[in-house]
Amino acid sequence: MNRLFGAKSAAPKPDLNGAISNVDTRIESLDVKLSKLNAELTTYQQKMSKMRDGPGKSAIKQKALKILQRRKMYESQRDQLQQQSWNMEQAGMMQDNLKNVMTTVDAMKTTNKSLKQQYGKINIDKIERMQDEMADLMDIGNDIQESISRSYDVPEDVDEAELDAELEALGEEAEFEGVGESEGMPGFMMDETKPPEFIDEPPEPGKVQEVAR
């Protein structure tokens, strides 16, 4: 039965890259043939340039014309194969671009699905409540800082004139104390009747006279 109706071939179908490779191989084969024909034409042209007109030259000319026809046929076939190869390469580029687009689309779908799952777990209302609580805590913290940094028994409004007068009085007092010290007399001796500060009790007059004798 298989001989009569044929059987399905189990060979794998050629892909685009394989087809391009086959065409390129055929183009290379034609290039080799064209190189041989060009060499033969060059040889015949050199012989014809050295020969006089006659039957011999005419025979060589006929051979050269046949080779020239074959060369044109091979060149035409090569041009067709090159065009086929170029068309298949363009199709391959379009196929690669389509694969890249599909890969990008699949990646975007996967990312979109993942983002939906992640953002679906987030409760916006909870975030808003948390932000409000953080703002309230910041306000409470600022109130606490203001409370513990408050000054005690310090007048807020101070008259600058009073401060200037007090500073001037301190300066006069310092000048008055400096007068006695500049004359070589300590401050505690300015008052003759006042005993030195290191004496606990003042001496009695009678004891002072006995010591003097």
Side-chain angles (χ1 to χ4, degrees), residues 93-112:
M93 288 187 290
M94 291 177 62
Q95 186 177 7
D96 292 338
N97 292 334
L98 182 59
K99 289 181 180 179
N100 293 331
V101 171
M102 295 303 297
T103 302
T104 304
V105 172
D106 291 339
M108 293 176 65
K109 287 181 179 179
T110 304
T111 304
N112 189 20

Side-chain angles (χ1 to χ4, degrees), residues 26-42:
R26 293 173 62 186
I27 292 173
E28 292 176 358
S29 176
L30 289 175
D31 287 335
V32 173
K33 293 180 180 180
L34 287 171
S35 298
K36 292 181 180 180
L37 293 178
N38 289 330
E40 291 181 7
L41 283 174
T42 301

Side-chain angles (χ1 to χ4, degrees), residues 20 42 52 61-62 77-78 107 125 180 194 196 199 202:
I20 294 174
T42 301
R52 296 180 180 178
K61 184 177 180 182
Q62 291 297 323
Q77 291 179 358
R78 185 187 60 180
D125 295 334
K194 183 179 179 181
I199 299 178

